[in-house]
């Protein structure tokens, strides 16, 4: 496994999309405050950097399949999730897990009415890309430090 707060990639010992099997993992341990899931490396890196600079521990996943494996293996305080990604989109990721931490969707695209209905109460908030650093920090602090009232 990689160390907490690192981007998960195909490096030796790292979780990859091949690890996203439906087999449940043993008891999950807390890994990081936030899991940032986005297929755009620059967006993922900039959001993670803002959060790390402010003292939050952050893991990154480049797509829904990698995130699925991470969410099955570890616990997170919250997930910031892009919706439109290759291999496994954000809506399908959310639907595949019952035990989710608070989920914030961030996307450049609007969700359809059908997608919003499918996600229901599993999504705490929707943010439109690009998210400014002050807005990102306000939302994350509100969820992790002050409950769900952000």
């Amino acid at each position: 496994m990689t160390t907490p707060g690192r981007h998960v990639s195909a490096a030796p010992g790292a979780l990859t999309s091949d690890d996203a099997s439906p087999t449940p993992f043993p008891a999950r341990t807390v890994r990081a405050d936030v899991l940032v899931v986005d297929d755009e490396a620059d967006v993922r890196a900039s959001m993670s950097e803002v959060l790390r600079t402010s003292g939050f521990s952050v893991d990154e996943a480049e797509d829904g399949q990698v995130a699925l494996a991470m969410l099955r293996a570890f616990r997170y305080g919250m997930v910031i999730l892009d919706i439109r990604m290759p291999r496994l989109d954000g809506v399908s990721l959310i639907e595949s897990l019952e035990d989710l931490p608070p989920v914030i969707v961030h996307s450049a695209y609007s969700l359809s009415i059908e997608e919003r209905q499918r996600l229901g109460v599993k999504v705490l908030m929707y943010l439109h890309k690009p998210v400014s650093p002050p807005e990102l920090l306000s939302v994350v602090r509100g969820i992790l430090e002050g409950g769900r009232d952000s």
Side-chain angles (χ1 to χ4, degrees), residues 22-45:
T23 306
F25 286 87
R28 297 176 305 157
T29 58
V30 175
R31 173 125 170 141
D33 295 322
V34 182
L35 174 60
V36 175
V37 186
D38 198 303
D39 60 318
E40 296 179 57
D42 58 334
V43 171
R44 198 173 57 241

Side-chain angles (χ1 to χ4, degrees), residues 18-150:
D18 296 333
D19 297 322
S21 68
T23 306
F25 286 87
R28 297 176 305 157
T29 58
V30 175
R31 173 125 170 141
D33 295 322
V34 182
L35 174 60
V36 175
V37 186
D38 198 303
D39 60 318
E40 296 179 57
D42 58 334
V43 171
R44 198 173 57 241
S46 65
M47 291 179 80
S48 296
E49 180 63 25
V50 166
L51 294 170
R52 284 185 187 110
T53 301
S54 296
F56 295 102
S57 58
V58 180
D59 271 355
E60 300 177 30
E62 70 266 10
D63 62 43
Q65 286 186 331
V66 172
L68 180 63
M70 294 173 75
L71 286 162
R72 285 183 170 156
F74 305 106
R75 288 187 357 219
Y76 294 91
M78 67 177 294
V79 177
I80 300 174
L81 178 65
D82 189 14
I83 290 294
R84 307 280 187 257
M85 296 181 290
R87 300 193 317 157
L88 182 64
D89 65 80
V91 174
S92 298
L93 171 64
I94 291 169
E95 290 178 329
S96 357
L97 294 166
E98 290 182 25
D99 182 25
L100 279 169
V103 175
I104 302 301
V105 166
H106 75 108
S107 182
Y109 303 97
S110 297
L111 292 175
S112 70
I113 292 172
E114 177 189 335
E115 287 172 320
R116 283 185 184 254
Q117 288 173 340
R118 286 171 52 199
L119 297 176
V121 297
K122 291 184 177 181
V123 174
L124 190 58
M125 183 179 296
Y126 298 88
L127 299 174
H128 195 270
K129 284 183 184 177
V131 179
S132 71
E135 181 181 17
L136 176 63
L137 288 172
S138 174
V139 167
V140 171
R141 283 186 180 126
I143 292 168
L144 295 179
E145 296 173 357
R148 293 185 176 209
D149 297 331
S150 50

